[in-house]
Amino acid sequence: MTFPYTGWVLMPSFTPKQEKFVSPYGFGDEQKEWHRTEKHKLVHVDSIYFCKAAAIYAGNQRLRDQQAALDKKQANINKRRAALEKAAGESKP
């Protein structure tokens, strides 16, 4: 990787933002994992995208993963609720 270079990152709000990366950060192998922006923000290389479309695609994939995790948790909650309702129904005379 040649510095400086421009890449795209997703902000915490999932808004894609273009950043200029000026140097690697860390020592040894760590240096390959983090890059520093011109505003001294550290970004993991897995979170840097070559274009805005790639950042948007990655953001959508993260949202799909989060939704799948929520759906799984909701299914577990529904099973537990059904078990409690069944137990409550069995205890009635």
Side-chain angles (χ1 to χ4, degrees):
M1 180 64 54
T2 332
F3 290 92
Y5 73 94
T6 303
W8 289 85
V9 296
L10 287 175
M11 303 305 291
S13 65
F14 276 56
T15 303
K17 181 180 179 188
Q18 192 172 31
E19 293 278 358
K20 183 176 182 181
F21 295 91
V22 294
S23 66
Y25 177 81
F27 300 100
D29 288 338
E30 271 187 25
Q31 195 173 40
K32 297 175 185 175
E33 295 181 14
W34 297 91
H35 292 174
R36 184 190 312 260
T37 69
E38 62 187 349
K39 295 181 181 178
H40 304 287
K41 179 181 171 187
L42 298 178
V43 180
H44 195 272
V45 294
D46 291 344
S47 298
I48 302 171
Y49 305 97
F50 65 95
C51 68
K52 186 176 182 179
I56 291 169
Y57 179 82
N60 281 322
Q61 183 60 46
R62 284 173 51 189
L63 288 175
R64 283 190 292 274
D65 294 344
Q66 289 175 6
Q67 186 64 55
L70 286 173
D71 293 345
K72 184 176 178 180
K73 285 182 181 189
Q74 186 63 51
N76 286 335
I77 289 170
N78 291 341
K79 286 179 187 177
R80 290 175 180 165
R81 182 175 289 125
L84 287 173
E85 289 172 357
K86 181 179 177 184
E90 290 173 357
S91 64
K92 292 182 181 177

